[in-house]
Amino acid sequence: MVSERGEEEKHPFHVLAVDDSNIDRMLLERLLTFSSYQVTCVESGDKALEYLGLVDIHQQNECERSSPLSSPSSTQLSCESLSSKSEVSKVNLIMTDYSMPGISGYDLLKRIKDSSWKDVPVVVMSSENVPSRINMCLEGGAEEFLLKPVKLSDVEKIHSNLISSTNYSPCEENAIAEIEKSNNAKREGSEIDKNCSNGNKRKATVGTSLDLSDRRPRVQELPVS
């Protein structure tokens, strides 16, 4: 069993992905996992706030009023679980959909930027290209605004921007270098497979032409009298 510390060393980038669409969450998780990220997916802004430990004032008051001598209520358990999550989880990037029921991506962005997680980059995603919405999110502190469907090139661009704007420890830099090496190997492997496939097709074509020429009937020259 891998420890939490071991997971952080193996995956220096931990992404919290927030989207109410199951299909979009699966696609985003697949892209991020392919890029060697550690990914945690949640289906709403409320779940994201819970994961980050950003409890509402009402819930905080409930926790404070709860007596430690009494039997733990569901509220107490919820507060304890949220507190423990915020202590052990290290999130390097938050990617959230804009249009979600309840807390929208913009509302989540504002809550994050007004909290202890304000230094964590937030990327907002949307299937609608609305300039006013894009400007509002960027002015509100979003690192980037991506149009869906998110592509691998978008993830790689974000990765490059994070590396250039963040100071990492030597251990983290070595892990980042390993991720980039792994991603380059995957891309090169894909190109090699493509080239080999094209080469095999060319060989098959040449082989066929040679076989056909060998099968052509040969004309014998008759002696001239």
Side-chain angles (χ1 to χ4, degrees):
M1 182 176 179
V2 182
S3 65
E4 290 176 353
R5 178 61 182 170
E7 281 293 332
E8 287 186 4
E9 291 177 353
K10 184 178 178 182
H11 303 281
F13 282 95
H14 179 197
V15 182
L16 176 62
V18 190
D19 203 310
D20 62 310
S21 168
N22 185 46
I23 295 176
D24 288 341
R25 281 200 311 275
M26 291 175 61
L27 173 62
L28 190 57
E29 182 178 13
R30 184 173 181 179
L31 290 175
L32 293 169
T33 303
F34 181 84
S35 297
S36 301
Y37 286 88
Q38 179 187 350
V39 188
T40 299
C41 292
V42 293
E43 66 273 15
S44 67
D46 290 312
K47 291 292 184 181
L49 293 176
E50 288 182 8
Y51 187 85
L52 296 172
L54 302 179
V55 195
D56 290 336
I57 299 297
H58 173 73
Q59 288 179 294
Q60 290 178 345
N61 292 337
E62 287 293 328
C63 290
E64 292 172 358
R65 284 197 297 266
S66 299
S67 171
L69 299 178
S70 60
S71 59
S73 63
S74 59
T75 303
Q76 283 178 283
L77 293 176
S78 174
C79 293
E80 289 171 2
S81 63
L82 297 184
S83 175
S84 62
K85 278 185 178 180
S86 64
E87 290 174 0
V88 303
S89 298
K90 179 180 179 181
V91 178
N92 303 95
L93 174 65
I94 299 170
M95 300 184 69
T96 178
D97 183 30
Y98 181 89
S99 300
M100 296 184 295
I103 299 177
S104 69
Y106 178 75
D107 294 333
L108 178 60
L109 168 68
K110 296 300 292 180
R111 289 288 299 275
I112 292 171
K113 293 304 175 182
D114 290 336
S115 72
S116 58
W117 297 90
K118 60 184 178 181
D119 294 329
V120 177
V122 179
V123 173
V124 182
M125 306 170 292
S126 177
S127 57
E128 299 176 312
N129 188 0
V130 183
S132 59
R133 177 183 298 178
I134 296 174
N135 292 333
M136 181 176 66
C137 290
L138 294 177
E139 291 173 0
E143 183 77 14
E144 189 71 58
F145 194 102
L146 300 178
L147 292 178
K148 291 183 176 181
V150 178
K151 302 180 288 295
L152 184 60
S153 58
D154 295 325
V155 176
E156 292 175 344
K157 177 183 176 183
I158 294 171
H159 180 85
S160 300
N161 292 341
L162 287 178
I163 291 176
S164 61
S165 62
T166 308
N167 294 323
Y168 294 101
S169 65
C171 179
E172 288 176 324
E173 288 179 354
N174 291 335
I176 291 169
E178 287 297 323
I179 287 180
E180 292 181 338
K181 182 179 178 181
S182 174
N183 291 340
N184 290 334
K186 290 175 183 178
R187 284 192 291 270
E188 290 175 0
S190 177
E191 289 297 323
I192 291 173
D193 291 341
K194 183 187 297 183
N195 293 334
C196 288
S197 176
N198 293 335
N200 290 335
K201 289 179 181 178
R202 285 193 294 270
K203 289 179 181 179
T205 303
V206 173
T208 303
S209 62
L210 289 175
D211 292 338
L212 290 176
S213 64
D214 291 340
R215 293 194 187 106
R216 285 200 298 265
R218 295 182 179 180
V219 179
Q220 295 181 348
E221 295 182 0
L222 298 178
V224 179
S225 58

